[in-house]
Amino acid sequence: MNNYMLLIMAAFLIVFMMWSSRSRRQQMQKLEQEKRDQLAAVTPGEWVRTRVGFWGRFVDLDGDIVVLETSNGHEMYWEREFIAEIGGQPPLADAEQAGADADEVETVEEDASVLGLDQEDAQSFDVRDTDEQQK
């Protein structure tokens, strides 16, 4: 009697595992099809983000290969699976931030005169400061 019960429980476990994997596989196929449909509907020029963090503009789709354009005009080829987001906005610096950087340079010049540095020392200080900002 114990052997029959053990066989029934093992059969139930195997059936449950098969059912679970089948439903998971169907769900993955559905998500893959939605991703294919979404890529097919993308218009050239839209921003696309890859899974590794690269932002580029969509150029073309050729089967499973997606062609993205960099900001300087070069085209890069990516596998369809690497596309993470379509139609978002890349995190580029705003014009306000560029204006804030210009204000920082002015305050450095003012600080140099307040500290009593000579004009030559202030100029060398500005050069070092801009080198550090570039790094």
Side-chain angles (χ1 to χ4, degrees):
M1 183 77 158
N2 286 338
N3 290 337
Y4 292 121
M5 190 63 129
L6 184 61
L7 287 175
I8 291 172
M9 287 177 53
F12 178 74
L13 182 62
I14 290 171
V15 168
F16 178 74
M17 287 174 40
M18 289 173 50
W19 175 77
S20 176
S21 71
R22 181 173 175 247
S23 65
R24 187 177 317 122
R25 193 173 342 141
Q26 287 175 345
Q27 189 177 28
M28 290 301 288
Q29 287 175 349
K30 181 181 174 185
L31 289 174
E32 186 176 322
Q33 185 61 38
E34 287 176 2
K35 188 74 160 186
R36 284 183 191 271
D37 294 342
Q38 187 180 20
L39 272 173
V42 175
T43 59
E46 277 191 73
W47 284 103
V48 175
R49 183 178 61 86
T50 64
R51 290 184 182 180
V52 295
F54 172 77
W55 283 92
R57 291 199 182 262
F58 179 81
V59 175
D60 193 18
L61 176 66
D62 186 19
D64 283 344
I65 302 296
V66 178
V67 181
L68 299 179
E69 182 180 40
T70 63
S71 59
N72 60 0
H74 292 97
E75 291 184 353
M76 299 178 72
Y77 299 96
W78 292 84
E79 290 284 334
R80 182 185 50 81
E81 289 84 22
F82 276 96
I83 304 302
E85 179 183 347
I86 298 171
Q89 288 296 326
L92 300 175
D94 295 341
E96 296 175 10
Q97 186 177 4
D101 291 341
D103 292 340
E104 288 178 16
V105 171
E106 292 175 13
T107 58
V108 168
E109 292 173 2
E110 292 172 5
D111 291 342
S113 63
V114 171
L115 294 174
L117 298 174
D118 294 341
Q119 187 66 15
E120 294 173 13
D121 292 338
Q123 288 175 352
S124 65
F125 181 73
D126 290 340
V127 170
R128 283 187 305 226
D129 188 46
T130 56
D131 287 342
E132 290 175 8
Q133 287 178 355
Q134 289 176 355
K135 292 178 183 177

